[in-house]
Amino acid sequence: MTQLVAGVDSSTQSCKVTIRDAATGAVVREGRAAHPDGTSVDPRHWWDALGTAVAEAGGLTDVGAVAIAGQQHGMVALDADGHVVRDALLWNDVSSADAAAQMVEEIGRESWVARTGLVPVASFTGTKLRWLRDAEPDNAGRVAAVALPHDWLSWRLRGYGPADESPLGPDLDALATDASDASGTAYWDPVRREYDPELFELALGRPMRVAGSEPTADTVVVPRVVAHDEAMGTLDVDVTLPNGSVAPSGLVVAAGLGDNAGAALGLGLAPGDIAVSLGTSGTVFGVTATEVLDPSGTVAGFADGTGSRLPIVTTLNAARVLEVIGGLLGVDHDALGELALQAPAGADGLVLVPYFVGERTPNRPDATASLLGMTPGTTDRPHLARAAVEGMLCALADGLAAVEGTGVTVSRLLLIGGAARNEAVRTVAAQVFGRDVLIPEPGEYVASGAARQAAWALTGALPSWDIATTTVPADPHPEVLEQYRAAAR
């Protein structure tokens, strides 16, 4: 008999649900719902979108297990009654940039890397807690638990929440997460695989305790970390989602994971594989069995969804760059790509440094974008389109170089995300990266990774699901990256 599993990708922009055959990975049905814009969002919107996407995907009544992969780092602060204290600050909110700098100053970069595998920047949960402590002390005093987006959604899906909204009520000790998401908080150690209570208290100014441990006075609950191949639990009651869908009693809820770890699992990345993901933001990540330490903070040494490490570099500006320049030129992504291919590699010296919303890598939260090398011959539509595509990819090429600089070997480079479907992006990627670029078949790889994890929890074995790829041959143009680096100093 066919067993079905569900994978959820609750991203910054939307919620996607995929229902798959647990054995083969074949897609049975799918659903999607939008999230609101902004960098500070009421988590209720995620819960509503999950209900809509599940309903569009045909529901969960015939599904054996589900896992939720979610955007990392978002600060979901709960009070003792399970209510959200304030809108969640998302990973791309830079309000806590000054708080991050203070925290680095207080104990030093080397100490942060040794204890957490990362150097705090505005994206990480711990810096948002410091901002909350300083900017909203009354709200900080109300916090009884801190969760991440996927933790909170899984908690709600399992029947927990405010008493008037959930069958099981506000049991904060039922909060759970996984190693990949915990490793992006800046108060969890991916080597010892445990929380660092001193760093949590450094952030919020109050002590923490792990869900399920002995309660003590004035402590703040953090989710217990569930093993990647285990489940958070099995539903004991039917849970009604927004839009009327039902998560049935007996449904297994797997550990879930952070979105990048979900994509790595969905792609089946092995050591030596590096993925470059082109969403609104951009990421470069891979899988390695060895410890990753980068005192510069460029590469974060997260945990992955299998027990290995997930070295990762993140930029705030990826497909966003194409959207901004496409809007300026009055064209969509496809037409922008056609224009870009009319200009030569290097755009005759026109360079776009694409820090439209500041930047995380390099850590320049207050930066703005710059266009350099404008002459009468380069200030036209094709050259500007070419500079946009090259600027986006050069920023990520620097990320790839940083990952390699930690000792990670790159044998295969995979390009994923919506922008990877653009012919110009593929062509320029092979030039900027200077190596063969593999393009997996289009798919929702974060949701697929969550579904694969759900199958693991349901059956006890991680399934192998085939993925077709095409290859864009290497066409090195080192001058493109050289001129970008000179402009981006």
Side-chain angles (χ1 to χ4, degrees):
M1 179 181 295
T2 299
Q3 291 181 296
L4 299 183
V5 292
V8 177
D9 172 14
S10 183
S11 71
T12 315
Q13 296 84 21
S14 64
C15 180
K16 288 146 285 195
V17 175
T18 181
I19 311 293
R20 295 178 179 249
D21 183 310
T24 68
V27 176
V28 176
R29 52 187 192 267
E30 296 181 305
R32 183 186 183 104
H35 286 161
D37 293 333
T39 63
S40 181
V41 174
D42 185 342
R44 177 176 295 277
H45 293 298
W46 306 333
W47 180 236
D48 290 342
L50 177 62
T52 300
V54 165
E56 188 174 299
L60 300 174
T61 56
D62 58 348
V63 170
V66 60
I68 297 176
Q71 54 177 302
Q72 291 196 261
H73 317 315
M75 181 193 72
V76 183
L78 304 175
D79 66 16
D81 295 321
H83 293 284
V84 175
V85 170
R86 67 161 340 270
D87 286 355
L89 292 180
L90 306 190
W91 66 274
N92 54 356
D93 189 289
V94 297
S95 301
S96 59
D98 289 344
Q102 292 167 10
M103 293 169 71
V104 173
E105 178 73 18
E106 286 165 5
I107 68 170
R109 287 176 172 270
E110 292 76 11
S111 180
W112 279 106
V113 171
R115 295 170 70 169
T116 66
L118 52 82
V119 175
V121 294
S123 297
F124 298 134
T125 317
T127 70
K128 300 179 189 305
L129 292 176
R130 170 63 72 88
W131 176 89
L132 185 69
R133 186 198 77 176
D134 295 342
E136 299 179 358
D138 289 344
N139 280 336
R142 292 175 53 208
V143 176
V146 178
L148 301 169
H150 115 254
D151 313 343
W152 182 82
L153 276 171
S154 298
W155 186 66
R156 294 301 310 268
L157 182 62
R158 291 164 55 217
Y160 301 100
D164 57 345
E165 299 177 13
S166 61
L168 300 179
D171 183 358
L172 301 180
D173 281 297
L175 284 165
T177 190
D178 88 304
S180 71
D181 225 359
S183 65
T185 60
Y187 46 84
W188 195 82
D189 183 346
V191 176
R192 292 180 297 138
R193 305 186 84 79
E194 60 186 37
Y195 287 105
D196 190 318
E198 291 181 0
L199 295 182
F200 182 90
E201 190 164 356
L202 180 74
L204 188 59
R206 293 170 57 197
M208 55 150 276
R209 73 173 180 88
V210 179
S213 64
E214 187 68 26
T216 51
D218 197 37
T219 52
V220 177
V221 175
V222 295
R224 66 186 177 91
V225 178
V226 177
H228 46 269
D229 57 346
E230 295 181 0
M232 288 184 174
T234 301
L235 296 191
D236 295 323
V237 296
D238 289 350
V239 178
T240 302
L241 281 67
N243 214 352
S245 295
V246 173
S249 174
L251 179 69
V252 173
V253 181
L257 60 177
D259 53 359
N260 294 297
L265 197 59
L267 288 164
L269 296 189
D273 293 339
I274 297 290
V276 176
S277 179
L278 303 174
T280 301
S281 60
T283 51
V284 179
F285 58 90
V287 173
T288 178
T290 59
E291 184 177 353
V292 177
L293 297 175
D294 180 10
S296 76
T298 301
V299 182
F302 293 171
D304 80 335
T306 68
S308 294
R309 303 298 290 273
L310 189 85
I312 185 168
V313 173
T314 303
T315 68
L316 294 179
N317 301 276
R320 181 193 314 276
V321 180
L322 308 186
E323 292 162 6
V324 171
I325 300 302
L328 177 65
L329 298 178
V331 296
D332 61 16
H333 282 200
D334 289 341
L336 183 78
E338 292 171 3
L339 284 170
L341 291 177
Q342 294 172 25
D348 292 318
L350 188 69
V351 179
L352 176 66
V353 181
Y355 302 158
F356 286 103
V357 291
E359 190 47 83
R360 169 171 165 175
T361 306
N363 184 26
R364 298 176 184 173
D366 299 320
T368 56
S370 302
L371 187 64
L372 301 93
M374 289 184 286
T375 69
T378 62
T379 313
D380 60 16
R381 290 161 62 83
H383 283 84
L384 182 55
R386 182 83 186 202
V389 175
E390 290 181 344
M392 173 186 72
L393 290 168
C394 284
L396 291 162
D398 276 348
L400 177 63
V403 170
E404 289 185 284
T406 66
V408 174
T409 300
V410 181
S411 301
R412 297 197 311 159
L413 184 68
L414 295 85
L415 195 67
I416 63 171
R421 302 178 188 183
N422 188 293
E423 188 63 33
V425 171
R426 298 181 180 194
T427 298
V428 174
Q431 296 172 347
V432 168
F433 293 117
R435 63 177 78 223
D436 290 352
V437 176
L438 276 65
I439 314 294
E441 60 187 336
E444 299 291 350
Y445 285 104
V446 176
S448 175
R452 195 168 173 230
Q453 187 198 60
W456 198 358
L458 182 65
T459 67
L462 180 62
S464 178
W465 295 347
D466 293 333
I467 299 171
T469 62
T470 58
T471 301
V472 181
D475 181 20
H477 280 266
E479 72 278 7
V480 177
L481 188 54
E482 289 169 4
Q483 69 178 16
Y484 174 84
R485 287 173 171 167
R489 287 177 184 162

PDB file of all heavy atoms in Angstrom, residues 276-300:
ATOM      1  N   VAL A 276      23.805  26.680  -4.757  1.00  0.00           N
ATOM      2  CA  VAL A 276      23.603  28.126  -4.767  1.00  0.00           C
ATOM      3  C   VAL A 276      22.124  28.344  -5.018  1.00  0.00           C
ATOM      4  O   VAL A 276      21.602  27.946  -6.060  1.00  0.00           O
ATOM      5  CB  VAL A 276      24.444  28.815  -5.854  1.00  0.00           C
ATOM      6  CG1 VAL A 276      24.131  30.311  -5.907  1.00  0.00           C
ATOM      7  CG2 VAL A 276      25.927  28.587  -5.620  1.00  0.00           C
ATOM      8  N   SER A 277      21.450  28.936  -4.044  1.00  0.00           N
ATOM      9  CA  SER A 277      20.007  29.115  -4.124  1.00  0.00           C
ATOM     10  C   SER A 277      19.673  30.577  -4.385  1.00  0.00           C
ATOM     11  O   SER A 277      20.119  31.465  -3.653  1.00  0.00           O
ATOM     12  CB  SER A 277      19.338  28.648  -2.825  1.00  0.00           C
ATOM     13  OG  SER A 277      17.939  28.843  -2.880  1.00  0.00           O
ATOM     14  N   LEU A 278      18.870  30.812  -5.427  1.00  0.00           N
ATOM     15  CA  LEU A 278      18.530  32.167  -5.848  1.00  0.00           C
ATOM     16  C   LEU A 278      17.056  32.444  -5.596  1.00  0.00           C
ATOM     17  O   LEU A 278      16.218  32.371  -6.485  1.00  0.00           O
ATOM     18  CB  LEU A 278      18.847  32.351  -7.340  1.00  0.00           C
ATOM     19  CG  LEU A 278      20.294  32.075  -7.759  1.00  0.00           C
ATOM     20  CD1 LEU A 278      20.440  32.159  -9.268  1.00  0.00           C
ATOM     21  CD2 LEU A 278      21.239  33.047  -7.070  1.00  0.00           C
ATOM     22  N   GLY A 279      16.743  32.727  -4.346  1.00  0.00           N
ATOM     23  CA  GLY A 279      15.426  33.240  -4.015  1.00  0.00           C
ATOM     24  C   GLY A 279      15.506  34.754  -3.962  1.00  0.00           C
ATOM     25  O   GLY A 279      16.411  35.363  -4.545  1.00  0.00           O
ATOM     26  N   THR A 280      14.560  35.389  -3.280  1.00  0.00           N
ATOM     27  CA  THR A 280      14.662  36.829  -3.087  1.00  0.00           C
ATOM     28  C   THR A 280      16.018  37.151  -2.472  1.00  0.00           C
ATOM     29  O   THR A 280      16.700  38.088  -2.873  1.00  0.00           O
ATOM     30  CB  THR A 280      13.535  37.333  -2.170  1.00  0.00           C
ATOM     31  OG1 THR A 280      12.279  37.009  -2.767  1.00  0.00           O
ATOM     32  CG2 THR A 280      13.622  38.832  -1.963  1.00  0.00           C
ATOM     33  N   SER A 281      16.410  36.355  -1.493  1.00  0.00           N
ATOM     34  CA  SER A 281      17.770  36.399  -0.962  1.00  0.00           C
ATOM     35  C   SER A 281      18.544  35.243  -1.587  1.00  0.00           C
ATOM     36  O   SER A 281      17.991  34.427  -2.323  1.00  0.00           O
ATOM     37  CB  SER A 281      17.747  36.263   0.560  1.00  0.00           C
ATOM     38  OG  SER A 281      17.140  35.031   0.921  1.00  0.00           O
ATOM     39  N   GLY A 282      19.839  35.185  -1.290  1.00  0.00           N
ATOM     40  CA  GLY A 282      20.664  34.124  -1.869  1.00  0.00           C
ATOM     41  C   GLY A 282      21.415  33.358  -0.801  1.00  0.00           C
ATOM     42  O   GLY A 282      21.751  33.911   0.254  1.00  0.00           O
ATOM     43  N   THR A 283      21.666  32.083  -1.061  1.00  0.00           N
ATOM     44  CA  THR A 283      22.457  31.278  -0.139  1.00  0.00           C
ATOM     45  C   THR A 283      23.419  30.398  -0.919  1.00  0.00           C
ATOM     46  O   THR A 283      23.149  29.983  -2.046  1.00  0.00           O
ATOM     47  CB  THR A 283      21.572  30.376   0.750  1.00  0.00           C
ATOM     48  OG1 THR A 283      20.663  29.632  -0.080  1.00  0.00           O
ATOM     49  CG2 THR A 283      20.784  31.191   1.746  1.00  0.00           C
ATOM     50  N   VAL A 284      24.545  30.125  -0.282  1.00  0.00           N
ATOM     51  CA  VAL A 284      25.505  29.124  -0.754  1.00  0.00           C
ATOM     52  C   VAL A 284      25.684  28.159   0.402  1.00  0.00           C
ATOM     53  O   VAL A 284      26.066  28.578   1.503  1.00  0.00           O
ATOM     54  CB  VAL A 284      26.858  29.774  -1.115  1.00  0.00           C
ATOM     55  CG1 VAL A 284      27.841  28.711  -1.588  1.00  0.00           C
ATOM     56  CG2 VAL A 284      26.681  30.855  -2.172  1.00  0.00           C
ATOM     57  N   PHE A 285      25.378  26.884   0.193  1.00  0.00           N
ATOM     58  CA  PHE A 285      25.471  25.942   1.302  1.00  0.00           C
ATOM     59  C   PHE A 285      25.834  24.556   0.784  1.00  0.00           C
ATOM     60  O   PHE A 285      25.608  24.222  -0.384  1.00  0.00           O
ATOM     61  CB  PHE A 285      24.161  25.884   2.094  1.00  0.00           C
ATOM     62  CG  PHE A 285      22.946  25.505   1.278  1.00  0.00           C
ATOM     63  CD1 PHE A 285      22.565  24.181   1.135  1.00  0.00           C
ATOM     64  CD2 PHE A 285      22.177  26.484   0.667  1.00  0.00           C
ATOM     65  CE1 PHE A 285      21.444  23.831   0.386  1.00  0.00           C
ATOM     66  CE2 PHE A 285      21.058  26.145  -0.085  1.00  0.00           C
ATOM     67  CZ  PHE A 285      20.691  24.824  -0.222  1.00  0.00           C
ATOM     68  N   GLY A 286      26.398  23.756   1.680  1.00  0.00           N
ATOM     69  CA  GLY A 286      26.760  22.391   1.331  1.00  0.00           C
ATOM     70  C   GLY A 286      26.717  21.515   2.565  1.00  0.00           C
ATOM     71  O   GLY A 286      26.283  21.939   3.637  1.00  0.00           O
ATOM     72  N   VAL A 287      27.169  20.292   2.420  1.00  0.00           N
ATOM     73  CA  VAL A 287      27.169  19.326   3.518  1.00  0.00           C
ATOM     74  C   VAL A 287      28.590  18.821   3.723  1.00  0.00           C
ATOM     75  O   VAL A 287      29.291  18.496   2.763  1.00  0.00           O
ATOM     76  CB  VAL A 287      26.232  18.134   3.205  1.00  0.00           C
ATOM     77  CG1 VAL A 287      26.365  17.054   4.267  1.00  0.00           C
ATOM     78  CG2 VAL A 287      24.788  18.605   3.114  1.00  0.00           C
ATOM     79  N   THR A 288      29.025  18.791   4.974  1.00  0.00           N
ATOM     80  CA  THR A 288      30.341  18.258   5.291  1.00  0.00           C
ATOM     81  C   THR A 288      30.281  17.573   6.644  1.00  0.00           C
ATOM     82  O   THR A 288      29.506  17.972   7.522  1.00  0.00           O
ATOM     83  CB  THR A 288      31.411  19.386   5.308  1.00  0.00           C
ATOM     84  OG1 THR A 288      32.679  18.825   5.658  1.00  0.00           O
ATOM     85  CG2 THR A 288      31.059  20.469   6.300  1.00  0.00           C
ATOM     86  N   ALA A 289      31.103  16.556   6.803  1.00  0.00           N
ATOM     87  CA  ALA A 289      31.163  15.836   8.076  1.00  0.00           C
ATOM     88  C   ALA A 289      32.099  16.496   9.063  1.00  0.00           C
ATOM     89  O   ALA A 289      32.126  16.141  10.245  1.00  0.00           O
ATOM     90  CB  ALA A 289      31.600  14.393   7.833  1.00  0.00           C
ATOM     91  N   THR A 290      32.882  17.489   8.595  1.00  0.00           N
ATOM     92  CA  THR A 290      33.888  18.107   9.448  1.00  0.00           C
ATOM     93  C   THR A 290      33.378  19.418  10.051  1.00  0.00           C
ATOM     94  O   THR A 290      32.469  20.059   9.518  1.00  0.00           O
ATOM     95  CB  THR A 290      35.172  18.394   8.657  1.00  0.00           C
ATOM     96  OG1 THR A 290      34.859  19.257   7.558  1.00  0.00           O
ATOM     97  CG2 THR A 290      35.757  17.093   8.114  1.00  0.00           C
ATOM     98  N   GLU A 291      34.002  19.813  11.162  1.00  0.00           N
ATOM     99  CA  GLU A 291      33.626  21.058  11.821  1.00  0.00           C
ATOM    100  C   GLU A 291      34.008  22.243  10.945  1.00  0.00           C
ATOM    101  O   GLU A 291      35.065  22.260  10.317  1.00  0.00           O
ATOM    102  CB  GLU A 291      34.342  21.143  13.175  1.00  0.00           C
ATOM    103  CG  GLU A 291      33.956  22.349  13.996  1.00  0.00           C
ATOM    104  CD  GLU A 291      34.640  22.330  15.360  1.00  0.00           C
ATOM    105  OE1 GLU A 291      35.286  21.316  15.681  1.00  0.00           O
ATOM    106  OE2 GLU A 291      34.518  23.330  16.080  1.00  0.00           O
ATOM    107  N   VAL A 292      33.144  23.255  10.904  1.00  0.00           N
ATOM    108  CA  VAL A 292      33.370  24.447  10.092  1.00  0.00           C
ATOM    109  C   VAL A 292      33.571  25.639  11.018  1.00  0.00           C
ATOM    110  O   VAL A 292      32.689  25.980  11.805  1.00  0.00           O
ATOM    111  CB  VAL A 292      32.185  24.714   9.145  1.00  0.00           C
ATOM    112  CG1 VAL A 292      32.409  26.009   8.364  1.00  0.00           C
ATOM    113  CG2 VAL A 292      31.992  23.539   8.189  1.00  0.00           C
ATOM    114  N   LEU A 293      34.739  26.282  10.918  1.00  0.00           N
ATOM    115  CA  LEU A 293      35.052  27.434  11.759  1.00  0.00           C
ATOM    116  C   LEU A 293      35.533  28.574  10.876  1.00  0.00           C
ATOM    117  O   LEU A 293      36.500  28.420  10.132  1.00  0.00           O
ATOM    118  CB  LEU A 293      36.129  27.087  12.788  1.00  0.00           C
ATOM    119  CG  LEU A 293      35.785  26.006  13.818  1.00  0.00           C
ATOM    120  CD1 LEU A 293      36.996  25.690  14.672  1.00  0.00           C
ATOM    121  CD2 LEU A 293      34.614  26.453  14.692  1.00  0.00           C
ATOM    122  N   ASP A 294      34.855  29.712  10.950  1.00  0.00           N
ATOM    123  CA  ASP A 294      35.243  30.882  10.177  1.00  0.00           C
ATOM    124  C   ASP A 294      35.173  32.108  11.080  1.00  0.00           C
ATOM    125  O   ASP A 294      34.101  32.696  11.266  1.00  0.00           O
ATOM    126  CB  ASP A 294      34.325  31.070   8.962  1.00  0.00           C
ATOM    127  CG  ASP A 294      34.704  32.292   8.140  1.00  0.00           C
ATOM    128  OD1 ASP A 294      35.773  32.876   8.396  1.00  0.00           O
ATOM    129  OD2 ASP A 294      33.922  32.673   7.241  1.00  0.00           O
ATOM    130  N   PRO A 295      36.307  32.524  11.668  1.00  0.00           N
ATOM    131  CA  PRO A 295      36.300  33.663  12.593  1.00  0.00           C
ATOM    132  C   PRO A 295      35.832  34.963  11.955  1.00  0.00           C
ATOM    133  O   PRO A 295      35.429  35.882  12.667  1.00  0.00           O
ATOM    134  CB  PRO A 295      37.764  33.764  13.038  1.00  0.00           C
ATOM    135  CG  PRO A 295      38.329  32.394  12.811  1.00  0.00           C
ATOM    136  CD  PRO A 295      37.622  31.874  11.598  1.00  0.00           C
ATOM    137  N   SER A 296      35.884  35.055  10.635  1.00  0.00           N
ATOM    138  CA  SER A 296      35.403  36.278   9.984  1.00  0.00           C
ATOM    139  C   SER A 296      33.893  36.404  10.079  1.00  0.00           C
ATOM    140  O   SER A 296      33.346  37.496   9.922  1.00  0.00           O
ATOM    141  CB  SER A 296      35.825  36.299   8.510  1.00  0.00           C
ATOM    142  OG  SER A 296      35.010  35.420   7.731  1.00  0.00           O
ATOM    143  N   GLY A 297      33.208  35.275  10.312  1.00  0.00           N
ATOM    144  CA  GLY A 297      31.759  35.287  10.378  1.00  0.00           C
ATOM    145  C   GLY A 297      31.080  35.177   9.029  1.00  0.00           C
ATOM    146  O   GLY A 297      29.846  35.124   8.956  1.00  0.00           O
ATOM    147  N   THR A 298      31.849  35.123   7.949  1.00  0.00           N
ATOM    148  CA  THR A 298      31.240  35.033   6.618  1.00  0.00           C
ATOM    149  C   THR A 298      30.494  33.715   6.445  1.00  0.00           C
ATOM    150  O   THR A 298      29.364  33.689   5.951  1.00  0.00           O
ATOM    151  CB  THR A 298      32.322  35.158   5.529  1.00  0.00           C
ATOM    152  OG1 THR A 298      32.995  36.405   5.690  1.00  0.00           O
ATOM    153  CG2 THR A 298      31.718  35.086   4.138  1.00  0.00           C
ATOM    154  N   VAL A 299      31.122  32.625   6.870  1.00  0.00           N
ATOM    155  CA  VAL A 299      30.514  31.301   6.767  1.00  0.00           C
ATOM    156  C   VAL A 299      30.004  30.884   8.135  1.00  0.00           C
ATOM    157  O   VAL A 299      30.767  30.869   9.108  1.00  0.00           O
ATOM    158  CB  VAL A 299      31.519  30.258   6.244  1.00  0.00           C
ATOM    159  CG1 VAL A 299      30.849  28.893   6.099  1.00  0.00           C
ATOM    160  CG2 VAL A 299      32.108  30.702   4.913  1.00  0.00           C
ATOM    161  N   ALA A 300      28.732  30.544   8.214  1.00  0.00           N
ATOM    162  CA  ALA A 300      28.166  30.033   9.463  1.00  0.00           C
ATOM    163  C   ALA A 300      28.214  28.509   9.432  1.00  0.00           C
ATOM    164  O   ALA A 300      27.864  27.892   8.424  1.00  0.00           O
ATOM    165  CB  ALA A 300      26.725  30.510   9.632  1.00  0.00           C
TER     166      ALA A 300
END
